[in-house]
Amino acid sequence: MNDRSAVKTPAAATEAAATVPRPPNRTADARGGRTTRGAARGSGGWTPWLYLAPALLVLGGLLVYPIYQLGLISFFEYTQAQVSGGEPATFEGFGNYGRLFGDPQFWQVLLATVLFAAACVVSTLAVGCALAVLLTRVRAVPRLALMLAALGAWATPAVTGSTVWLFLFDPDFGPVNRMLGLGDHAWTYGRLSAFFLVLLEVVWCSFPFVMVTVYAGIRAVPGEVLEAAALDGASQWRIWRSVLAPMLRPILVVVTIQSVIWDFKVFTQIYVMTNGGGIAGQNLVLNVYAYQQAFASSQYGLGSAVGIVMLLILLAVTLVYLRLLRRQGEEL
């Protein structure tokens, strides 16, 4: 063996070191990546807002300004005399709210509204989710028929639907009493039976939204996941509770919040089916109560105060619900 071949000269060592690939400069790359992403965010940060600007302007005119006027009127004595211009509006501060919170009927109506809305939300979600699962189990023709029937109920105006349900449960000519053998039983005379009748109509016109939305979410779930759960011996209820419900939680959040908002401010069904709130106001909810105070009694300031209280309650319920979901680690 030649010893000279084993000895490397300084020049050869330098050339060999130069040919060895060096690791990339992670610090520089990371800084460059951050700079690039920051520039991308900065350049496109306002673009979504520019697209949303027309819709935000329309919502501002249709929602923000009326809410501002509602809150403003709630601080004034605003009756028919002020509306006609006979007397100037008098600033009362929180006087309308004091009279409202001091009225025992308000607290009774608030409790009835909360219980009624909760029953409507739970029933609507249960019926909508059950039918959404059913849509995934039936064939194309029954699925189409069920979808068309549900959309027909969804498209029916509230006044029309309420009138139809009143006819179905009419004590003299309604087919429901004949089928059940109840004779001339009047559903709208009793407090609980009247609320139950209105609940049925509210669920009937509200479940299609939940059904279609949840059905779309179920169709987006990979079929392999459901097949694996079925092969493991899970029942349909277990698949829904342990597989579908966690994966559909963002969708369920949306439909739950919207159902709470819609059912908490029910007006048409109660007003039409119980003739303005039932006998002696036994079926009043907050929306009908606000209408009576504002228009029947011409106390527009007091009616506006009821509207602001409803708005604050709905905001509080929505924020608390979203906060609980965030604590559970849900991304919304």
Side-chain angles (χ1 to χ4, degrees):
M1 180 177 181
N2 191 356
D3 294 338
R4 293 181 180 179
S5 63
V7 178
K8 293 183 180 180
T9 61
T14 302
E15 293 177 357
T19 58
V20 177
R22 296 181 179 181
N25 191 346
R26 297 181 179 178
T27 304
D29 292 344
R31 291 178 180 175
R34 291 175 184 174
T35 304
T36 304
R37 286 192 295 268
R41 290 177 183 174
S43 61
W46 291 100
T47 303
W49 294 104
L50 292 177
Y51 286 109
L52 291 174
L56 293 177
L57 291 176
V58 173
L59 289 177
L62 296 178
L63 295 178
V64 177
Y65 182 72
I67 291 175
Y68 163 75
Q69 287 291 336
L70 186 70
L72 185 63
I73 293 175
S74 68
F75 291 107
F76 284 84
E77 182 185 359
Y78 203 73
T79 61
Q80 190 62 38
Q82 284 77 25
V83 172
S84 60
E87 297 180 6
T90 305
F91 181 76
E92 290 192 346
F94 291 95
N96 288 322
Y97 294 93
R99 287 197 298 272
L100 181 65
F101 295 147
D103 185 5
Q105 186 182 17
F106 166 75
W107 297 105
Q108 296 174 3
V109 173
L110 177 60
L111 178 61
T113 304
V114 171
L115 296 177
F116 176 73
C120 289
V121 170
V122 172
S123 302
T124 302
L125 292 177
V127 173
C129 293
L131 292 179
V133 175
L134 178 63
L135 286 176
T136 63
R137 301 295 176 183
V138 298
R139 296 183 179 273
V141 175
R143 184 188 307 124
L144 179 61
L146 181 57
M147 292 283 286
L148 292 177
L151 292 179
W154 172 256
T156 303
V159 174
T160 304
S162 301
T163 305
V164 170
W165 278 81
L166 276 180
F167 169 75
L168 292 176
F169 289 85
D170 186 83
D172 297 323
F173 306 103
V176 175
N177 282 1
R178 295 180 182 179
M179 293 176 58
L180 298 179
L182 297 178
D184 58 350
H185 175 71
W187 292 80
T188 57
Y189 283 179
R191 186 168 187 256
L192 294 180
S193 61
F195 270 127
F196 177 72
L197 182 59
V198 177
L199 182 144
L200 293 179
E201 202 280 333
V202 171
V203 173
W204 175 76
C205 67
S206 301
F207 83 87
F209 171 75
V210 178
M211 183 191 72
V212 173
T213 306
V214 175
Y215 173 71
I218 295 176
R219 298 296 296 177
V221 175
E224 295 80 3
V225 177
L226 302 179
E227 291 178 1
L231 291 175
D232 289 340
S235 62
Q236 295 298 325
W237 167 247
R238 185 62 183 274
I239 292 176
W240 167 260
R241 185 171 61 89
S242 302
V243 179
L244 288 177
M247 299 182 71
L248 298 177
R249 187 164 295 178
I251 295 177
L252 294 176
V253 169
V254 173
V255 297
T256 300
I257 292 176
Q258 292 199 358
S259 296
V260 169
I261 294 173
W262 290 338
D263 296 338
F264 192 82
K265 60 184 186 67
V266 166
F267 174 81
T268 305
Q269 291 87 345
I270 289 286
Y271 192 84
V272 172
M273 300 181 71
T274 64
N275 196 18
I279 301 174
Q282 63 180 1
N283 296 112
L284 281 177
V285 292
L286 278 180
N287 233 352
V288 181
Y289 178 74
Y291 175 83
Q292 288 188 352
Q293 297 297 326
F295 297 100
S297 302
S298 298
Q299 297 180 2
Y300 302 104
L302 189 59
S304 300
V306 178
I308 293 297
V309 170
M310 290 180 59
L311 175 64
L312 294 177
I313 291 174
L314 290 175
L315 286 176
V317 171
T318 303
L319 292 177
V320 169
Y321 190 60
L322 293 178
R323 194 179 188 87
L324 291 176
L325 291 175
R326 287 293 181 90
R327 287 183 179 179
Q328 295 175 2
E330 294 293 333
E331 294 181 1
L332 302 177

